[in-house]
Amino acid sequence: MDDIYDAYATFEELEIFTAAIERWDMSCIDELPDYMQIFYRTLLNVVDEIEEEIAKDGRSYRVYYAKESLKAVARAYFEEARWFNEGYTPTMEEYLPAAIVSTGYPMLSTVSLLGMGDIVTKETFEWLFNDAKIVRASTTLFRFMDDIVTSKFEKERGHVVCSIDCYMKQYGVSEQEALDALNKQVVDLWKDINEEFLRPTAAPMAVLMRVLNLTKVVDLLYKGDDGYTRVRKVVKDKIASHFINPVPII
């Protein structure tokens, strides 16, 4: 979905595509270009398969939240595409609501709970969808760490403005001053995440750990370099230590 919005579609195609995702109806598929149809059909089919599986345990209500989180990602991508199409640099207050959703992390935090047992309830999903502090901190941290290490490469390929651009324009500072300010906010956001483990929340510890583990992945991939786009030794070794050469359990 990200590549469709960033690299392949025209703005006019994206208007139709976003509307189709909002409708979430296979009857929309004929309105889309062929390459979009492949993705759209797969997206709806995968979610249908998940719903069929978790319905066996009476948990099909969870799919509503998965769909809504995916629709939110599409809306955020479209907002960023609109800024790019118009050559517009938003304020930080305009940028962040869309940019933290476009990380995909609010969606990943949601869909990672679909197959969990009875520890996850409808109230847990409502907590996620009501601007939970730990999720907001995690996704904002992701956005800043991503922008800090990817901005130069993204600009070379004609990408939407990032938090660095928005901060520089809004506050009239240099690029280095913007980087320093965002790096400081990353440190403060880690404090917000840690704070959520020190007091009772509406979500069980297992759910908080899901969000924390997703944040740890960001810290691995984007600390000092874009380890997602350019996978190098550190990331390869970490993956190997977990899945290829794990420490044996005695």
Side-chain angles (χ1 to χ4, degrees):
M1 190 193 295
D2 190 13
D3 288 342
I4 287 173
Y5 278 90
D6 280 354
Y8 293 107
T10 65
F11 186 73
E12 291 71 23
E13 289 173 338
L14 290 178
E15 290 181 298
I16 301 168
F17 185 58
T18 307
I21 291 178
E22 287 282 8
R23 286 173 60 187
W24 204 275
D25 187 333
M26 197 65 81
S27 66
C28 300
I29 199 165
D30 291 336
E31 302 170 12
L32 302 173
D34 290 346
Y35 74 96
M36 285 183 172
Q37 290 185 16
I38 297 168
F39 173 83
Y40 191 74
R41 181 181 294 106
T42 303
L43 176 65
L44 269 61
N45 285 342
V46 166
V47 175
D48 283 347
E49 289 171 15
I50 293 171
E51 183 170 18
E52 184 179 330
E53 185 65 28
I54 65 177
K56 298 173 184 176
D57 298 314
R59 297 172 182 147
S60 58
Y61 74 89
R62 299 178 179 186
V63 172
Y64 164 80
Y65 296 97
K67 290 178 181 177
E68 291 304 306
S69 66
L70 285 158
K71 291 176 185 180
V73 173
R75 288 193 294 270
Y77 285 158
F78 183 73
E79 181 73 353
E80 292 179 342
R82 184 177 65 81
W83 292 334
F84 181 73
N85 186 60
E86 296 174 359
Y88 178 65
T89 301
T91 64
M92 290 293 286
E93 290 75 18
E94 292 172 310
Y95 174 77
L96 280 178
I100 63 177
V101 175
S102 72
T103 64
Y105 257 41
M107 179 270 294
L108 289 174
S109 297
T110 301
V111 301
S112 72
L113 307 182
L114 292 180
M116 290 182 75
D118 293 335
I119 194 171
V120 173
T121 64
K122 185 175 181 180
E123 287 70 29
T124 308
F125 285 98
E126 289 295 325
W127 168 81
L128 270 176
F129 271 63
N130 280 280
D131 198 29
K133 183 177 180 178
I134 189 172
V135 178
R136 183 175 70 254
S138 173
T139 53
T140 308
L141 181 151
F142 183 174
R143 174 46 64 202
F144 289 160
M145 290 190 73
D146 184 338
D147 286 353
I148 287 166
V149 299
T150 65
S151 60
K152 289 184 179 179
F153 168 73
E154 298 287 12
K155 286 177 183 176
E156 287 172 3
R157 69 188 186 105
H159 199 265
V160 68
V161 292
C162 69
S163 55
I164 300 167
D165 304 309
C166 299
Y167 196 95
M168 289 171 61
K169 180 179 179 182
Q170 183 168 348
Y171 296 105
V173 298
S174 68
E175 182 177 3
Q176 187 57 53
E177 288 173 312
L179 288 168
D180 291 343
L182 296 181
N183 275 310
K184 182 182 182 303
Q185 289 194 46
V186 168
V187 173
D188 291 339
L189 289 163
W190 268 118
K191 294 176 183 178
D192 288 344
I193 293 169
N194 290 335
E195 184 183 12
E196 290 297 276
F197 284 89
L198 301 176
R199 64 182 186 183
T201 69
M205 182 61 70
V207 173
L208 298 182
M209 288 303 301
R210 288 292 175 103
V211 179
L212 176 62
N213 286 337
L214 286 168
T215 316
K216 287 179 178 180
V217 174
V218 173
D219 193 69
L220 168 65
L221 294 178
Y222 295 104
K223 182 175 281 185
D225 195 10
D226 181 3
Y228 182 80
T229 304
R230 297 180 293 275
V231 182
R232 292 175 180 162
K233 187 176 187 301
V234 171
V235 175
K236 289 180 180 180
D237 287 351
K238 289 286 186 182
I239 292 171
S241 70
H242 280 285
F243 301 109
I244 301 173
N245 304 307
V247 174
I249 298 173
I250 300 174

